[in-house]
Every structure is written in structure tokens, then in C-alpha cells.
Amino acid sequence: MKRSWTRETFRIADLDPSLEPPLKEGIDFVAPEMKPVIVAAVQEAMDKGTPYDLELPWISTKGRHLWVHTQGFAETKEGKVIRIYGTIQDITERKAAADDLIRAKEQAETSHQVAEEADAWKSLAISSAKAGTLMMDFKRGVLEWDQRSMEIFGVDDATLGRSYASWMQRVHPEEQSHIVS
């Protein structure tokens, strides 16, 4: 069976393109754990003419670890497979980018979970201590009160002032000097 390789195939295999394609089959470059997958796909193409489309780990003659996308096709004549041919493409960078994206997504999800857990613990601590929370939005000049803070200060939504000044009026005069404005 005659072999012909493109310059890209030689590059992926780390071989000199001026030489004849080696007797070593392209299958031999596939990482050992995935060889059964490519062997079965090629056998199916030879036996039944079934095409294949796979992404596989690859190890070049120099020991470089890559990912390749390979497609195989069968040419038939009178219902019999007379040859198989295909393509191979180095997709290492694309696979690395996809892996980076997956890791970034997992980190974001983990960070989000940690933030949610921290908020839950903070709420539990505040609730257990029977404390209230106030939050000042300095950009809008609005003070946000939770229900417990309104109970502590003896105010409700109707009598509540939402400004820093209205809150300071409710702070004991001896404590006002300890508050940074």
C-alpha cells in the first residue's frame, strides 16, 4: 500500500519532509491509551467503508505531546474498499484554549460558591447575634437598613431616613466621634 504524507503531517510527526513516509503507520504516533480507538476506526473504514472523525493525543518522534484531529474516508469500487485516505490536523492550541476555558469556568463557579457560602455564614452570624446591618452607598448617598437594624433603632420604613445624616441623628452623641464620616 502506497503512503503519501503532506508537509503538515511530516511537521506534526517531527520528520523530515524530504524523506519517504516511514513504514511506521500514523497510528503508531497516537498515544497508547487511545490506540484501540483509532485501530477500531481504521479497521471499520477498511472493512465497511465507515468514515471516522476523531480527536486524539499524539506523540511525535521527538516526544512532543500534541492533539490531532483526524478524519478517515474509504474509497470503494464495486462495493469493496480499495483504499482509505484522510486528513490530520494539529489542534493542540485549540485543545489547550478549551482546557483553559473549562478551568476558568470551574474557578469562577468555585469563587461564586465560596462567596455564597460566606454570605450565608455572615447572615447566620448576624442573625445569631441579633445584630443588624447598615450599608452606606456613598455614590448615591443612601443608607440601606435591614429589618433588625430598624428594630434596634426603633424606626420603620415610614419614619426611616435613608441618608447618612438621618442615621447619625439616631447614634448616641458620645458614640458619634467614633464614627468615620
Side-chain angles (χ1 to χ4, degrees):
M1 177 185 264
K2 184 178 185 295
R3 291 177 185 82
S4 63
W5 284 15
T6 65
R7 291 184 80 69
E8 179 65 2
T9 304
F10 277 100
R11 186 196 68 75
I12 292 170
D14 283 330
L15 292 170
D16 182 352
S18 66
L19 303 174
E20 283 291 313
L23 289 176
K24 181 179 185 179
E25 294 289 334
I27 289 173
D28 292 337
F29 291 102
V30 173
E33 67 274 11
M34 293 301 287
K35 274 191 184 155
V37 172
I38 188 65
V39 167
V42 170
Q43 191 63 53
E44 187 82 7
M46 290 188 317
D47 293 347
K48 299 178 183 173
T50 307
Y52 60 86
D53 187 340
L54 302 168
E55 292 184 357
L56 301 165
W58 173 279
I59 303 170
S60 76
T61 57
K62 293 182 180 176
R64 283 188 314 134
H65 288 257
L66 309 163
W67 275 91
V68 296
H69 175 222
T70 183
Q71 294 178 303
F73 308 94
E75 183 179 329
T76 58
K77 187 173 186 178
E78 298 176 6
K80 292 191 177 204
V81 175
I82 58 170
R83 78 176 181 121
I84 60 170
Y85 61 96
T87 64
I88 187 167
Q89 177 184 15
D90 182 351
I91 60 166
T92 306
E93 288 181 15
R94 183 185 60 118
K95 288 291 272 188
D99 289 348
D100 289 346
L101 184 61
I102 289 167
R103 274 193 295 283
K105 182 180 177 189
E106 288 170 352
Q107 288 174 342
E109 288 171 355
T110 300
S111 295
H112 181 71
Q113 287 174 334
V114 167
E116 285 181 343
E117 288 174 12
D119 285 346
W121 281 106
K122 181 177 75 175
S123 294
L124 179 62
I126 290 168
S127 172
S128 298
K130 305 233 185 273
T133 58
L134 301 167
M135 211 167 13
M136 181 67 185
D137 182 338
F138 288 100
K139 286 183 181 177
R140 295 184 308 146
V142 176
L143 186 64
E144 299 291 337
W145 301 65
D146 72 351
Q147 188 61 42
R148 181 67 183 134
S149 291
M150 286 190 268
E151 291 168 9
I152 292 169
F153 282 89
V155 295
D156 58 28
D157 280 330
T159 60
L160 179 63
R162 298 254 180 214
S163 69
Y164 178 76
S166 67
W167 175 69
M168 281 297 285
Q169 291 173 357
R170 291 177 171 80
V171 175
H172 192 278
E174 292 176 10
E175 296 299 322
Q176 288 181 4
S177 63
H178 299 290
I179 298 171
V180 178
S181 56

